[in-house]
Every structure is written in structure tokens, then in C-alpha cells.
Amino acid sequence: MMRTRPLKVALLGCGVVGSEVARIMTTHADDLAARIGAPVELAGVAVRRPDKVRGGIDPALITTDATALVKRGDIDVVVEVIGGIEPARALITTAFEHGASVVSANKALLAQDGATLYAAAERHGQDLYYEAAVAGAIPLIRPLRESLAGDKINRVMGIVNGTTNFILDKMDSTGAGYQEALDEATALGYAEADPTADVEGFDAAAKAAILAGIAFHTRVRLDDVYREGMTEVTAADFASARQMGCTIKLLAICERAADGESVTARVHPAMIPLSHPLASVREAYNAVFVEAEAAGQLMFYGPGAGGSPTASAVLGDVVAVCRNRLNEATGPGESAYTQLPVSPMGDVVTRYHISLDVADKPGVLAQVATVFAEHGVSIDTVRQHGRQDGGGEASLVVVTHRAPDAALSGTVEALRKLDTVRGVASIMRVEGE
Ligand code: HSE
């Protein structure tokens, strides 16, 4: 039976995502009403610049006073798509206080202070949904929070930043260097004028914190996530990866430790075998590979950014929250009962690809191998190419077996001190084998 009184939605932000949310709410109003069981109405839109033309939105709904909008008291769902920490956090908590549930796309806020938002939602009996905060349109948060709630997730490994995947894919497919590929990404609108948040891994790290928290039922904050950007990846690294049957991706990796007593979360470029499903994720697409005890391996794939894809995720949450309200219920809140600590990067165990410039003379290989042995890092393969320039130098590529990151760091530090090691050209983790 359809309820006639509409559920009221307030929109905070009307940029690329917000305007798509408003448009779809209007054009698909009948379908949304049928799916929810009540009409859903756009009751107000808070913007910074009211003079900007916003096609299709009734000008009477536009306001610059976001606080007054969330305090109205008749709003059922506040959709927050303004991003950043403040005023978003204050607006969300005020919305809960005034009886509204919240749908947010704000990864930075959720990664930095999700616990405060969850606590406020619970205190006021409201929902906090945020499917759009990680990997755009890809259904991922709800599968992790709900569909896999009966399973035990051991690992989440994903490409959660489209800009960097576009750049790395261009480098791989064309042999371009980082700067050339970045320039192309900027020209095509994939990279922002200041690409720091993407290329230095901040965006992916926020998403890793959110995913790790949900997957392992513990609190993981942005500061807990180890982060390395991808600006140092070179065309030579891709050539080396190819020789190993690998490509290079910027990965967000969340893992439960082998003893189950702790978790880790990290973002860095890594080599992965071409046979791994994540290796075939091209251009600006995102994908997340989940390993769960009972389910086995799952992969979630799709567009991770953009107005329409992100609006799709937001509207899915709006429908879910509206259904909950009609049932006078709420969906899942924070699940952090395991209280597993987040271990430092030094505890992460993985394989490494290390490229060294060394003197090409007797005993150097033995010397280098001794340093690895002294730090308990076992070598899997070694490749050496003498330089053709007659300068007495060679390029040495060492691939290790699995070793703790701290042991690898100690190895590299000691290698740098050897007279015969002229330089450490690159260090890259090898994942997904
Ligand atoms: N800048 C992000 C990306 C999208 O390139 O994937 C928003 O998280």
C-alpha cells in the first residue's frame, strides 16, 4: 500500500553528484515511490552559490543556509555530498539531532571520524548510509556490511582510485612516463588540476580505512593506513613488471594477520600478475577483490567516480533509508566489536621486487645476497644485466620470497651502505600471487 505523505529529502551540495541526485529523483519519482512505498520529495537544496543555474531544480528549494535546512525537523533524509570535514560533520550530526537519517558520500569524514557519526546516528535512532563513499557506483559497502555479515573476511584488495588507475594503465599500454600519462589524464578530465589527493594515495587511503573497518569489524582511521603514492613509478618499472608477467596497480590492501589478532591497511603501488582479475581493470575503472572464509574470492567491478555513477549509489541508499523509516526501523550501525588493533606497516608480510644499480665485478652478487640473508629475507630470483656503456655497472633485480616489511626496509638500508651498490632504483611490493 502506497503512503501518500511524501518522505522529504534535503540535499547538501548540488555539484556534479548532487545535481544528478536531484535529476534522477525528479525523473524517476514514480519508480522510486513504488519501490519505497511512499513518494519521495526533494524538500530543499543547500548550495554555496545560489546564482548558479541549476537545471530542473525549483529555485524555491535552493538555500545557502544548510544548517537551517537540516534543523527544519520535517526532513527524513539528509543527503550530504559537499565533502570535507567541516561543515559536513556538524551538519550531519545536527541532522541526526533533528530527526533525519543521513546518506553521505564523504569518504574523508568517514575515514577520519566515522565513529562520531555512527555514535550520533545511534543516539538519535537514525541511519547512516554511505555506499557512494567508496568506489562510486559499485555496490560494495552494503555487500560487506550486510551480504557478507555471516562470513569472515580475511582480505580486501582493490583499485579504488580511478585517476591513478587511468594513469598507470596509460603507462602500461603506451610506455609513457608518469608525467606524460598524468598530462593526458588532466586533459581528459580524469585528474584534477591539483592531483595530489589521488596520485599521493590520500583518496585511496581514506577508502582503505573505511573498507578495513567494515570488513574486520574494528575501528580503522585514516592515520592507521600506510600510504605511498604512485608518482615514482617509472616506465622502467613497467618493463620490469612485464618481464615477470606482471603489471603495476595502485592497490588498497586490508588484511587480517595470519594469527587473526590484528589487521593492517595500506595503499601503495604494487606489481600483480597479469593473471590476477585486478590486472585487467583498465582506464578509470575501480574493482575490489574480497577474500572471505566461506564465500571464497569475490570481485566487485565498475565505475568508481563521476556524477551519475555516484548518484546511483546515493539513491540506492536513499531508497534503503526511506524503506527503513516506513518500517520504523534502522539499518546496521557501527560494528567494531572485534576491537582488533591495526598493526604498523613493518608487520606486513609480502614479496618484493628490488632493482639495484651495482658495480659489475666479482663478489658483488655474493655481497648483496649476504645482506638479504643477514636480514632474514629469502631471495626467490635474481636477474642481472651488464650495462652496455662499458662503465662497469650492472642492473640487478632481486625478487624475494615473503618477508616482513621491516626486514625488507632493514635490507635496503644496509644495501645503500655498500660501496658496490651505486643506487636503489626501485622497490616494489609484489601482490596477488
Ligand atoms: N578522485 C577519485 C578517483 C574519485 O579518481 O577515483 C572520488 O573518490
Side-chain angles (χ1 to χ4, degrees):
M1 260 243 297
M2 178 78 78
R3 190 180 88 155
T4 49
R5 188 164 59 81
L7 288 147
K8 294 189 178 178
V9 173
L11 190 52
L12 308 184
C14 199
V16 179
V17 177
S19 56
E20 265 303 285
V21 170
R23 187 189 66 77
I24 299 171
M25 275 186 68
T26 310
T27 55
H28 292 49
D30 291 345
D31 284 326
L32 291 172
R35 292 169 197 174
I36 291 167
V40 58
E41 169 190 300
L42 194 57
V45 182
V47 298
R48 261 183 314 170
R49 284 171 297 160
D51 45 319
K52 219 175 123 188
V53 179
R54 292 166 214 278
I57 298 179
D58 178 355
L61 297 179
I62 306 278
T63 174
T64 53
D65 193 346
T67 305
L69 181 58
V70 299
K71 278 184 171 175
R72 256 172 55 167
D74 65 336
I75 302 295
D76 292 286
V77 187
V78 168
V79 172
E80 183 270 306
V81 283
I82 49 180
I85 305 302
E86 292 293 355
R89 177 170 43 200
L91 290 168
I92 289 173
T93 49
T94 306
F96 290 140
E97 285 162 17
H98 288 79
S101 284
V102 172
V103 171
S104 173
N106 194 331
K107 59 195 169 259
L109 178 55
L110 284 153
Q112 184 166 313
D113 203 11
T116 296
L117 303 187
Y118 271 127
E122 190 178 345
R123 198 160 51 247
H124 298 285
Q126 301 299 332
D127 270 330
L128 171 64
Y129 277 52
Y130 49 89
E131 185 64 68
V134 182
I138 307 174
L140 182 62
I141 303 297
R142 195 163 303 126
L144 293 179
R145 276 219 293 188
E146 299 183 37
S147 318
L148 290 167
D151 207 333
K152 181 179 183 186
I153 296 173
N154 289 320
R155 198 158 197 256
V156 177
M157 180 162 89
I159 295 165
V160 292
N161 183 273
T163 305
T164 48
N165 200 55
F166 181 89
I167 295 169
L168 290 170
D169 184 39
K170 280 294 153 210
M171 291 174 74
D172 192 16
S173 59
T174 66
Y178 165 71
Q179 190 60 49
E180 194 186 332
L182 171 63
D183 289 345
E184 187 177 346
T186 310
L188 292 172
Y190 288 113
E192 293 182 34
D194 176 2
T196 310
D198 293 319
V199 300
E200 295 296 351
F202 291 103
D203 175 81
K207 293 165 179 170
I210 295 170
L211 293 177
I214 300 172
F216 306 130
H217 301 271
T218 192
R219 275 189 192 158
V220 181
R221 300 182 71 233
L222 181 58
D223 291 347
D224 298 320
V225 181
Y226 173 84
R227 178 194 54 79
E228 265 176 44
M230 43 71 71
T231 58
E232 308 285 317
V233 177
T234 63
D237 291 328
F238 272 102
S240 226
R242 281 277 159 190
Q243 286 189 350
M244 285 179 59
C246 288
T247 187
I248 298 170
K249 295 291 186 189
L250 183 74
L251 297 179
I253 304 173
C254 314
E255 282 174 321
R256 192 187 290 276
D259 65 5
E261 298 297 316
S262 63
V263 300
T264 52
R266 53 194 164 112
V267 168
H268 53 71
M271 293 186 181
I272 52 167
L274 292 169
S275 56
H276 194 283
L278 288 175
S280 58
V281 177
R282 309 288 305 271
E283 305 210 316
Y285 281 90
N286 282 195
V288 178
F289 194 74
V290 177
E291 296 174 39
E293 201 172 79
Q297 298 179 330
L298 309 163
M299 179 135 125
F300 301 84
Y301 171 87
S308 291
T310 310
S312 164
V314 166
L315 283 160
D317 280 352
V318 168
V319 169
V321 169
C322 286
R323 285 173 175 163
N324 290 345
R325 285 180 93 77
L326 289 187
N327 291 327
E328 294 176 6
T330 50
E334 184 182 33
S335 177
Y337 73 95
T338 65
Q339 296 184 22
L340 290 172
V342 186
S343 295
M345 187 61 191
D347 289 359
V348 166
V349 176
T350 189
R351 297 180 67 205
Y352 303 86
H353 174 286
I354 301 123
S355 181
L356 305 168
D357 294 326
V358 297
D360 194 0
K361 61 184 189 185
V364 172
L365 191 55
Q367 222 181 9
V368 167
T370 302
V371 171
F372 278 87
E374 281 170 354
H375 290 83
V377 180
S378 173
I379 292 174
D380 180 19
T381 60
V382 178
R383 273 196 334 264
Q384 179 174 329
H385 304 284
R387 291 270 171 80
Q388 302 304 311
D389 57 13
E393 283 197 9
S395 163
L396 195 62
V397 174
V398 178
V399 180
T400 74
H401 288 294
R402 285 166 61 79
D405 215 79
L408 197 278
S409 298
T411 306
V412 171
E413 205 176 309
L415 286 170
R416 288 190 203 276
K417 289 184 183 144
L418 293 180
D419 288 344
T420 49
V421 173
R422 304 280 152 76
V424 180
S426 88
I427 307 162
M428 185 99 41
R429 296 173 185 91
V430 183
E431 302 288 341
E433 291 181 305

